[in-house]
Amino acid sequence: MTDIVTIRGDLELLTRTEQLFSSVREEFVCAARDLETWSRPAARQVAGGRLRRGGTHRTRKLYSPSALADERGREHLGALADRGAQVRIAATALPHETIVVDRRCAILAGLPAPGGREYTLTTAPTLVGGVYALFEAAWESATDLDVFLRGEQPHLDAGSRTVLRALGSGATDETAARELGMSLRTYRRRVAELLAALDADSRFQAGMRAGELGLRG
Amino acid sequence: MTDIVTIRGDLELLTRTEQLFSSVREEFVCAARDLETWSRPAARQVAGGRLRRGGTHRTRKLYSPSALADERGREHLGALADRGAQVRIAATALPHETIVVDRRCAILAGLPAPGGREYTLTTAPTLVGGVYALFEAAWESATDLDVFLRGEQPHLDAGSRTVLRALGSGATDETAARELGMSLRTYRRRVAELLAALDADSRFQAGMRAGELGLRG
DNA sequence: GAACCCGTGGCAGCTTGCTGCCATCGGGGA
DNA sequence: TCCCCGATGGCAGCAAGCTGCCACGGGTTC
């Protein structure tokens, strides 16, 4: 069975994958240490084209933190996210490029070598399944790009901290307002201000952010 | 080059790996969904022997939470840890058995099939490297067995983690439910379960707890 | 097949949260 | 004094969230 193929050099990779990439049906996942491969002009065209064609498939990209090291990387990842890909950053070093298409075909990249970088393309269910499950595990525990990029700490005035404590206690607005000796309306105004300060769209999100930032009122 | 071999059935696997396993020099890593394969008597002998010979190598074992589902599993993992292996529990489903020896040889197991389960053994650096790096990423974010058993963190299943992420994204229930492909009712059920798991009285409180615990889905 | 269990989803009614609008109040400043 | 301003709070209407109830479908058990 010829379900394992070794590819030598980027050029061969491109010609071989062009057709594959345009036939993605459901899912395209990719784990990589950096943006080296696909940020090159020729490759970009292929990969970009695939995304732009706006299939209904899901695209997931998982990178090491080092992919964000330079401005170019951040830009590129931002652009990917804008085009609908889910982008996450893992806590550790990842392989040099690993791709799984529709859970039936995997591509793994090796190290640069004389005569061109080596790639392995396989459709063996055992291999693809194993790689996919490992990817899934790594993905599951990685951080969303936007969360990763946000690290700032908004400073909150005394009032907001009181409100924060009340919210953290789990009380309803009514109880909290009574305890703080203010009207329901004012309390909610405070809450809205707090959400704005934390740049949160929902109370849950605000709580999460507060927790992450170690704010405790 | 014959650096990829397909193995059919557990018997062949054992005969082939016996020699390999006793030649481990530096590291033996293993990711698996459950304890099926190696908890069988014959296999246990091989694996156990390897460990008992007390090489200087490091042994790392990564399992899905389901490996702890029954008492037998807990015992087995405890025994492994006692014999010096590092055991961790990942948050998500893992492949059906993936092994990497000394970073130079990988074994991936497929699903049970007529004629015996199929295994793939490879020494191709590209494959091994890719699998190893993915394992590393999954390992890095998994929880130590003892910590997991102590249960300071509420055990959230994959579903709860997805919901956690959705909530953390700030989406409304309606959009979140749609994105996750479930009904509004079910989504809210999940949210309610999550709140219960986090022992929270409000979404804000749940978010705060999740943030404090470093849960990110 | 029948009897069940479980997860799901629709519906309904209720609570809680959100916010625009306006009335009120208290404290400067012209 | 009068006016302005910002903060407050009541109200109303709407959006969002919560939960009990019941029905349906897919497994499992007997």
Side-chain angles (χ1 to χ4, degrees):
Chain A
M1 41 178 172
T2 59
D3 49 8
I4 297 178
V5 177
T6 299
I7 297 173
R8 230 170 228 297
D10 291 357
L11 199 64
E12 192 187 345
L13 177 70
L14 284 179
T15 57
R16 271 192 179 269
T17 52
E18 186 161 17
Q19 199 257 326
L20 171 66
F21 283 179
S22 62
S23 74
V24 177
R25 288 193 206 170
E26 300 188 348
E27 191 186 35
F28 179 92
V29 309
C30 164
R33 187 192 307 273
D34 49 45
L35 302 159
E36 217 179 289
T37 313
W38 304 103
S39 60
R40 288 185 198 155
R44 199 166 220 162
Q45 204 177 341
V46 175
R50 183 179 47 70
L51 263 171
R52 256 197 300 280
R53 266 197 281 285
T56 54
H57 68 267
R58 188 180 175 208
T59 300
R60 294 191 282 169
K61 306 213 137 212
L62 181 62
Y63 291 99
S64 304
S66 61
L68 291 166
D70 61 349
E71 189 52 43
R72 225 182 79 253
R74 279 193 290 275
E75 261 174 40
H76 185 201
L77 291 191
L80 277 174
D82 286 344
R83 269 184 279 153
Q86 294 175 267
V87 179
R88 288 192 187 173
I89 307 296
T92 59
L94 290 163
H96 255 304
E97 205 80 31
T98 297
I99 293 173
V100 180
V101 176
D102 284 343
R103 243 175 133 155
R104 64 183 164 78
C105 172
I107 302 171
L108 291 109
L111 295 171
R117 203 153 135 205
E118 211 174 68
Y119 300 87
T120 304
L121 194 157
T122 177
T123 56
T126 305
L127 287 173
V128 178
V131 169
Y132 186 81
L134 284 173
F135 172 86
E136 198 62 62
W139 174 263
E140 208 50 52
S141 55
T143 313
D144 265 322
L145 177 63
D146 53 350
V147 175
F148 193 89
L149 287 179
R150 189 169 16 75
E152 266 310 297
Q153 174 131 349
H155 77 70
L156 308 174
D157 58 21
S160 295
R161 289 170 173 274
T162 327
V163 175
L164 193 62
R165 216 174 306 126
L167 279 168
S169 80
T172 66
D173 288 8
E174 199 153 69
T175 336
R178 219 179 313 117
E179 267 170 21
L180 297 183
M182 62 178 79
S183 80
L184 194 60
R185 185 68 186 84
T186 308
Y187 177 76
R188 288 189 170 145
R189 249 198 271 267
R190 291 287 130 78
V191 173
E193 288 163 15
L194 183 66
L195 293 219
L198 290 170
D199 191 30
D201 291 332
S202 69
R203 290 195 177 200
F204 183 94
Q205 199 177 28
M208 198 151 157
R209 240 153 240 185
E212 280 172 11
L213 295 172
L215 303 174
R216 226 140 288 188
Chain B
M1 44 180 173
T2 60
D3 50 8
I4 296 176
V5 176
T6 298
I7 297 174
R8 230 168 227 297
D10 291 358
L11 201 63
E12 191 188 345
L13 177 70
L14 283 180
T15 58
R16 270 191 181 270
T17 53
E18 187 161 18
Q19 199 257 326
L20 171 67
F21 282 0
S22 60
S23 74
V24 177
R25 288 191 204 170
E26 299 189 349
E27 191 186 35
F28 179 91
V29 308
C30 164
R33 186 189 310 271
D34 49 46
L35 301 157
E36 217 179 289
T37 314
W38 304 102
S39 60
R40 288 185 200 154
R44 200 166 220 162
Q45 205 178 340
V46 176
R50 182 178 47 72
L51 264 171
R52 255 197 301 282
R53 265 199 279 290
T56 55
H57 68 266
R58 188 180 175 205
T59 301
R60 294 191 282 170
K61 305 213 137 214
L62 181 62
Y63 290 99
S64 303
S66 60
L68 291 165
D70 61 350
E71 190 51 43
R72 224 182 80 255
R74 278 191 291 275
E75 263 175 38
H76 184 202
L77 291 191
L80 276 175
D82 287 344
R83 270 185 278 153
Q86 293 175 267
V87 179
R88 289 196 183 170
I89 308 297
T92 60
L94 289 162
H96 256 303
E97 205 81 30
T98 297
I99 294 173
V100 180
V101 176
D102 284 343
R103 240 174 135 155
R104 63 183 163 78
C105 170
I107 302 171
L108 290 111
L111 294 171
R117 205 153 134 206
E118 211 173 69
Y119 299 87
T120 303
L121 193 156
T122 178
T123 56
T126 303
L127 286 173
V128 178
V131 169
Y132 186 80
L134 283 173
F135 172 86
E136 199 62 59
W139 174 264
E140 208 48 50
S141 55
T143 315
D144 265 321
L145 177 62
D146 53 352
V147 175
F148 191 91
L149 288 178
R150 221 178 313 128
E152 16 195 82
Q153 293 207 347
H155 301 2
L156 303 180
D157 59 18
S160 296
R161 296 176 167 269
T162 326
V163 173
L164 193 61
R165 233 177 244 290
L167 280 168
S169 80
T172 66
D173 287 9
E174 201 156 67
T175 40
R178 217 178 316 118
E179 266 169 24
L180 298 183
M182 63 178 79
S183 79
L184 193 59
R185 184 71 186 83
T186 305
Y187 177 76
R188 289 192 169 142
R189 247 197 271 270
R190 290 287 133 75
V191 173
E193 287 162 16
L194 184 67
L195 294 218
L198 292 170
D199 191 31
D201 292 331
S202 69
R203 288 193 177 200
F204 184 93
Q205 200 177 27
M208 203 152 156
R209 296 250 154 96
E212 284 171 6
L213 292 172
L215 301 174
R216 225 144 285 179

